[in-house]
Amino acid sequence: MEDHVTPRRVVIIGGGFAGLFAARALRRSPVAVTLIDRRAHHLFQPLLYQCAAGILSEGQIAQPLRAVLRRHTNVRCLLADATDVDVQGRAVHARRPEGGSLVVPYDDLIVAGGMRQSYFGHDEFAAHAPGMKTLEDALEIRRRIYHAFEMAESATDARDRRHWLTFALVGGGPTGVELAGQIREIAGHTLDREFRTIDPLQARVLLFEGSDKVLAPFGDRLAGRAARALEDLGVELHLGTRVTGLDGQGLTVQERDGTITRHPARTVLWTAGVEAPPIAAALARATGAEQDRAGRIAVQPDLTLPGHPEIRVVGDMMALDQLPGLAEVAMQSGAYAGRAVRHTVEGRTKTPKPFKYMDLGSAAYISRGRAVLKAGRLHLSGVAGWLAWLFIHIAFLTGFRSRLGAVLSWSVVFASGARRERAFTLPDTGSRTAGQPAATVPPRGP
């Protein structure tokens, strides 16, 4: 007999697109939803690079989860990091940010933990080359980009100045392409009249990619157009290369012919590769589920785990039919999982249809007025691709104020090149530099 006193307990791990859409699908269901996330905000990851580049503010791409779900009275948010799953006892173990643990019981579990940056076994690279997966990453990259120009302005040695004005990006996927284009636009349109000693236009942007093309999933035609657009901007493409070493002074790469080349660069950014967070391995151990090379968990067509119909894995963390790690996949799979739980609660006995992803396309922004978009047989580039990109991102931004703010910011940048979100902070290094001789700043030019 159904218990009408204690509602069915649904635990969602992760407040990204998949977790958020799962919670929304359960809004009017007689369930008690607990959403666990290690951060208190929902992040619009596809626009992280625009926050890093100074176009959008943090508030335009990150919304408090509690605010987003404030009208979902059956949802409770917990700020904690899910660390393990007790499959027999049906409980999620989590760690609070300031210490202490939580045990959250569930009747249904939806795992939407997303993915994190992968350095392909070289985690030591992370200290010198931040990735682009979190809001903290975006702010760190913003600091490094604008800090590099400032350091070049006061450099007294031409070689040092040249190294500060060299930016290296590892990874030719959408994030790498978008970030490379943004740095060139910053140098050519935002900072072109602001410095007196250096010429920002002299900044070099090197993009390293292991395959033979950038944006390979977009197909040869769009990939070729994207490469030409990047080269027109002044981005130097290094295709078929593999990073073998990386430090605070630059990176070492292996070329196609096997030769090793050193590229001095004071700013190195990592946009290549993702891997599943530790909760994926913990869940796989607890359930016996299979994982792919990146740690994604193999799911059945209804997104459940074999032998565990109460556990569903959605979004980037699931491995199903080689679906890509796109926001739209996360949205659709999260909504599907939420509806499946709702149907179970409602007592529907009909076997649910397998999850089927509706491909709405992929897009990558290159520069002002230039983007590429692939949606089935529809392939767009140039201004048409940019307009389609603009429409898609406005539609999926969370909250009216975020949409309006983004449109206004984009309008200013497109019209003038100005970027208002350029503030960055530096750590206090006074004690480190005490006693060091002062450099002589070169005289200002005529």
Side-chain angles (χ1 to χ4, degrees), residues 191-235:
L191 305 179
D192 56 332
R193 298 181 182 179
E194 296 189 3
F195 289 86
R196 302 296 177 260
T197 302
I198 64 170
D199 178 5
L201 280 170
Q202 298 301 314
R204 297 177 63 203
V205 179
L206 318 178
L207 181 59
F208 298 89
E209 164 60 31
S211 67
D212 292 331
K213 59 178 70 71
V214 296
L215 299 181
F218 284 70
D220 292 342
R221 182 182 176 189
L222 289 182
R225 290 184 177 181
R228 288 192 294 273
L230 288 170
E231 291 173 338
D232 288 344
L233 285 172
V235 177

Side-chain angles (χ1 to χ4, degrees), residues 109-187:
L109 175 62
I110 299 176
V111 182
M115 301 289 277
R116 64 180 184 178
Q117 200 72 61
S118 171
Y119 290 86
F120 306 111
H122 291 278
D123 291 344
E124 68 276 11
F125 290 174
H128 306 291
M132 182 71 85
K133 300 298 290 183
T134 68
L135 192 58
E136 294 87 347
D137 291 338
L139 296 178
E140 174 62 15
I141 288 175
R142 179 197 296 179
R143 182 188 73 79
R144 295 196 182 207
I145 291 174
Y146 289 104
H147 175 246
F149 287 100
E150 297 292 343
M151 294 302 294
E153 174 77 358
S154 62
T156 58
D157 178 74
R159 179 173 175 271
D160 189 37
R161 186 181 304 119
R162 188 166 57 251
H163 292 174
W164 277 113
L165 289 176
T166 302
F167 301 83
L169 293 90
V170 182
T175 301
V177 166
E178 290 164 339
L179 198 52
Q182 286 301 305
I183 296 175
R184 284 301 306 165
E185 285 207 333
I186 289 170

Side-chain angles (χ1 to χ4, degrees), residues 430-441:
S431 59
R432 302 182 200 174
T433 58
Q436 293 183 2
T440 301
V441 178

